[in-house]
């Protein structure tokens, strides 16, 4: 039985809370976070020390895998792909994909996909999309509230604020000063 450190336990409980509180839990977030918990638990069980530097061939293969994952997500970010589906398309295990992607990019697959969705949302909002609820659902967010919260965290403003010409002018001034 692997040892569970406090951080792994916290991540596990956050996933459980997410699943219980959301009408439509984000399966990629759940799967990827649990893969991270699994990795930490295995490392604790084996009392592994940090690995040595990977060979140039391994580094090249890992960089290529991360780029392939980013390309796949860039073209399918609006789809509710699960971690096993992404891994299957890239011909690797979900565990390996999570580990390599995070080491190569410094981010999780879930974070990367969410940022892609939000950047696409920004384009739609600035183009004058009328219904933010529909836009949120189209881009793969659970609801309008989830979308607005994520948007605000990334861009430091709400989608509705970007529609207000006066607020937009003020933001432009603040950015150029």
């Amino acid at each position: 039985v692997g040892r569970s450190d406090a951080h792994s336990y916290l991540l596990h409980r956050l996933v459980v809370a997410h699943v219980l509180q959301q009408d439509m839990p984000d399966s990629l977030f759940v799967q990827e976070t649990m893969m991270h918990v699994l990795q930490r638990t295995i490392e604790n069980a084996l009392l592994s020390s940090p690995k040595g530097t990977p060979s140039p061939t391994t580094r090249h293969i890992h960089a290529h895998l991360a780029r392939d994952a980013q390309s796949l997500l860039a073209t399918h970010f609006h789809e509710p792909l699960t971690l096993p589906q992404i891994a299957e398309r890239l011909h690797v295990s979900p565990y390996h994909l999570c580990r390599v992607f995070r080491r190569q990019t410094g981010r999780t697959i879930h974070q990367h996909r969410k940022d892609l969705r939000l950047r696409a949302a920004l384009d739609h909002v600035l183009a004058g999309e009328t219904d933010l609820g529909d836009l949120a659902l189209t881009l793969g967010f659970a609801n309008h509230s989830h979308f607005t919260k994520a948007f605000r965290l990334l861009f430091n403003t709400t989608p509705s604020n970007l529609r207000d010409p006066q607020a937009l002018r003020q933001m432009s001034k603040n950015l150029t000063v």
Side-chain angles (χ1 to χ4, degrees):
V1 177
R3 297 181 192 136
S4 177
D5 60 281
H7 183 73
S8 296
Y9 183 75
L10 174 62
L11 288 174
H12 173 256
R13 298 312 303 158
L14 289 173
V15 167
V16 170
H18 173 76
V19 169
L20 294 175
Q21 294 171 358
Q22 298 294 320
D23 292 335
M24 295 179 55
D26 187 324
S27 63
L28 182 60
F29 167 74
V30 170
Q31 294 163 348
E32 189 172 26
T33 303
M34 291 313 298
M35 288 292 176
H36 182 64
V37 170
L38 176 62
Q39 176 184 351
R40 290 178 62 97
T41 304
I42 290 170
E43 288 172 354
N44 288 338
L46 298 176
L47 299 173
S48 64
S49 59
K51 310 277 187 285
T53 305
S55 71
T57 303
T58 300
R59 285 195 308 267
H60 175 73
I61 291 169
H62 287 180
H64 187 70
L65 175 58
R67 280 193 308 273
D68 287 350
Q70 288 172 322
S71 294
L72 176 67
L73 291 169
T75 56
H76 299 282
F77 65 86
H78 57 284
E79 297 175 25
L81 292 175
T82 64
L83 188 57
Q85 290 170 329
I86 296 168
E88 183 180 336
R89 289 184 185 188
L90 297 172
H91 309 289
V92 296
S93 75
Y95 175 77
H96 182 67
L97 176 60
C98 284
R99 188 171 45 88
V100 168
F101 192 88
R102 188 175 193 130
R103 283 187 183 161
Q104 290 292 313
T105 67
R107 314 164 42 115
T108 65
I109 295 168
H110 178 260
Q111 289 169 326
H112 183 74
R113 181 181 68 179
K114 184 173 68 172
D115 283 357
L116 290 171
R117 288 175 171 178
L118 290 169
R119 288 169 190 251
L122 179 63
D123 291 339
H124 287 282
V125 170
L126 292 175
E129 291 281 331
T130 55
D131 190 315
L132 294 177
D134 287 343
L135 177 61
L137 296 175
T138 299
L139 291 174
F141 289 92
N143 55 46
H144 182 274
S145 175
H146 178 233
F147 165 65
T148 299
K149 181 179 178 183
F151 194 94
R152 182 184 300 122
L153 285 172
L154 186 63
F155 297 116
N156 205 27
T157 188
T158 64
S160 300
N161 214 19
L162 289 179
R163 292 183 168 173
D164 178 4
Q166 185 176 356
L168 195 54
R169 277 193 301 278
Q170 185 60 42
M171 281 189 338
S172 296
K173 283 181 186 178
N174 292 342
L175 292 173
T176 56
V177 173

